[in-house]
PDB file of all heavy atoms in Angstrom:
ATOM      1  N   ALA A  45      63.455  92.172 -72.847  1.00  0.00           N
ATOM      2  CA  ALA A  45      63.129  92.829 -71.574  1.00  0.00           C
ATOM      3  C   ALA A  45      62.350  91.936 -70.621  1.00  0.00           C
ATOM      4  O   ALA A  45      62.594  91.926 -69.409  1.00  0.00           O
ATOM      5  CB  ALA A  45      62.350  94.115 -71.841  1.00  0.00           C
ATOM      6  N   ALA A  46      61.432  91.150 -71.163  1.00  0.00           N
ATOM      7  CA  ALA A  46      60.569  90.325 -70.298  1.00  0.00           C
ATOM      8  C   ALA A  46      61.304  89.143 -69.688  1.00  0.00           C
ATOM      9  O   ALA A  46      60.801  88.519 -68.752  1.00  0.00           O
ATOM     10  CB  ALA A  46      59.372  89.811 -71.108  1.00  0.00           C
ATOM     11  N   PHE A  47      62.519  88.846 -70.186  1.00  0.00           N
ATOM     12  CA  PHE A  47      63.236  87.652 -69.734  1.00  0.00           C
ATOM     13  C   PHE A  47      64.371  87.971 -68.773  1.00  0.00           C
ATOM     14  O   PHE A  47      65.030  87.065 -68.266  1.00  0.00           O
ATOM     15  CB  PHE A  47      63.793  86.891 -70.948  1.00  0.00           C
ATOM     16  CG  PHE A  47      62.732  86.520 -71.953  1.00  0.00           C
ATOM     17  CD1 PHE A  47      62.521  87.294 -73.085  1.00  0.00           C
ATOM     18  CD2 PHE A  47      61.935  85.408 -71.753  1.00  0.00           C
ATOM     19  CE1 PHE A  47      61.542  86.960 -74.010  1.00  0.00           C
ATOM     20  CE2 PHE A  47      60.949  85.062 -72.667  1.00  0.00           C
ATOM     21  CZ  PHE A  47      60.744  85.846 -73.796  1.00  0.00           C
ATOM     22  N   GLY A  48      64.636  89.242 -68.523  1.00  0.00           N
ATOM     23  CA  GLY A  48      65.691  89.609 -67.589  1.00  0.00           C
ATOM     24  C   GLY A  48      67.090  89.369 -68.103  1.00  0.00           C
ATOM     25  O   GLY A  48      68.050  89.327 -67.337  1.00  0.00           O
ATOM     26  N   GLY A  49      67.247  89.191 -69.387  1.00  0.00           N
ATOM     27  CA  GLY A  49      68.556  88.934 -69.983  1.00  0.00           C
ATOM     28  C   GLY A  49      68.398  88.539 -71.438  1.00  0.00           C
ATOM     29  O   GLY A  49      67.272  88.395 -71.940  1.00  0.00           O
ATOM     30  N   VAL A  50      69.517  88.339 -72.117  1.00  0.00           N
ATOM     31  CA  VAL A  50      69.494  88.010 -73.543  1.00  0.00           C
ATOM     32  C   VAL A  50      69.161  86.534 -73.740  1.00  0.00           C
ATOM     33  O   VAL A  50      69.807  85.662 -73.156  1.00  0.00           O
ATOM     34  CB  VAL A  50      70.852  88.334 -74.198  1.00  0.00           C
ATOM     35  CG1 VAL A  50      70.842  87.941 -75.677  1.00  0.00           C
ATOM     36  CG2 VAL A  50      71.165  89.815 -74.044  1.00  0.00           C
ATOM     37  N   VAL A  51      68.166  86.262 -74.567  1.00  0.00           N
ATOM     38  CA  VAL A  51      67.799  84.891 -74.925  1.00  0.00           C
ATOM     39  C   VAL A  51      68.462  84.573 -76.270  1.00  0.00           C
ATOM     40  O   VAL A  51      68.116  85.185 -77.289  1.00  0.00           O
ATOM     41  CB  VAL A  51      66.272  84.718 -75.040  1.00  0.00           C
ATOM     42  CG1 VAL A  51      65.924  83.277 -75.390  1.00  0.00           C
ATOM     43  CG2 VAL A  51      65.596  85.140 -73.740  1.00  0.00           C
ATOM     44  N   PRO A  52      69.428  83.645 -76.309  1.00  0.00           N
ATOM     45  CA  PRO A  52      70.205  83.412 -77.523  1.00  0.00           C
ATOM     46  C   PRO A  52      69.375  83.121 -78.768  1.00  0.00           C
ATOM     47  O   PRO A  52      69.669  83.640 -79.849  1.00  0.00           O
ATOM     48  CB  PRO A  52      71.091  82.219 -77.154  1.00  0.00           C
ATOM     49  CG  PRO A  52      71.275  82.346 -75.671  1.00  0.00           C
ATOM     50  CD  PRO A  52      69.951  82.848 -75.166  1.00  0.00           C
ATOM     51  N   GLU A  53      68.339  82.298 -78.655  1.00  0.00           N
ATOM     52  CA  GLU A  53      67.551  81.954 -79.838  1.00  0.00           C
ATOM     53  C   GLU A  53      66.795  83.175 -80.373  1.00  0.00           C
ATOM     54  O   GLU A  53      66.730  83.394 -81.591  1.00  0.00           O
ATOM     55  CB  GLU A  53      66.564  80.836 -79.527  1.00  0.00           C
ATOM     56  CG  GLU A  53      65.784  80.391 -80.767  1.00  0.00           C
ATOM     57  CD  GLU A  53      64.872  79.208 -80.507  1.00  0.00           C
ATOM     58  OE1 GLU A  53      64.958  78.606 -79.420  1.00  0.00           O
ATOM     59  OE2 GLU A  53      64.076  78.883 -81.395  1.00  0.00           O
ATOM     60  N   ILE A  54      66.231  83.959 -79.475  1.00  0.00           N
ATOM     61  CA  ILE A  54      65.533  85.175 -79.899  1.00  0.00           C
ATOM     62  C   ILE A  54      66.514  86.131 -80.576  1.00  0.00           C
ATOM     63  O   ILE A  54      66.214  86.740 -81.610  1.00  0.00           O
ATOM     64  CB  ILE A  54      64.850  85.847 -78.698  1.00  0.00           C
ATOM     65  CG1 ILE A  54      63.701  84.980 -78.183  1.00  0.00           C
ATOM     66  CG2 ILE A  54      64.334  87.239 -79.076  1.00  0.00           C
ATOM     67  CD1 ILE A  54      63.027  85.514 -76.935  1.00  0.00           C
ATOM     68  N   ALA A  55      67.710  86.246 -79.994  1.00  0.00           N
ATOM     69  CA  ALA A  55      68.730  87.131 -80.564  1.00  0.00           C
ATOM     70  C   ALA A  55      69.113  86.689 -81.970  1.00  0.00           C
ATOM     71  O   ALA A  55      69.207  87.517 -82.888  1.00  0.00           O
ATOM     72  CB  ALA A  55      69.963  87.167 -79.662  1.00  0.00           C
ATOM     73  N   ALA A  56      69.337  85.391 -82.156  1.00  0.00           N
ATOM     74  CA  ALA A  56      69.746  84.877 -83.464  1.00  0.00           C
ATOM     75  C   ALA A  56      68.679  85.143 -84.518  1.00  0.00           C
ATOM     76  O   ALA A  56      68.983  85.544 -85.657  1.00  0.00           O
ATOM     77  CB  ALA A  56      70.048  83.385 -83.363  1.00  0.00           C
ATOM     78  N   ARG A  57      67.423  84.925 -84.164  1.00  0.00           N
ATOM     79  CA  ARG A  57      66.330  85.158 -85.122  1.00  0.00           C
ATOM     80  C   ARG A  57      66.234  86.642 -85.484  1.00  0.00           C
ATOM     81  O   ARG A  57      66.003  86.999 -86.637  1.00  0.00           O
ATOM     82  CB  ARG A  57      65.006  84.675 -84.527  1.00  0.00           C
ATOM     83  CG  ARG A  57      64.885  83.158 -84.442  1.00  0.00           C
ATOM     84  CD  ARG A  57      63.582  82.759 -83.766  1.00  0.00           C
ATOM     85  NE  ARG A  57      63.457  81.327 -83.662  1.00  0.00           N
ATOM     86  CZ  ARG A  57      62.917  80.542 -84.594  1.00  0.00           C
ATOM     87  NH1 ARG A  57      62.462  81.095 -85.718  1.00  0.00           N
ATOM     88  NH2 ARG A  57      62.827  79.237 -84.433  1.00  0.00           N
TER      89      ARG A  57
END
Side-chain angles (χ1 to χ4, degrees):
F47 304 98
V50 178
V51 181
E53 184 176 351
I54 292 176
R57 288 177 181 271

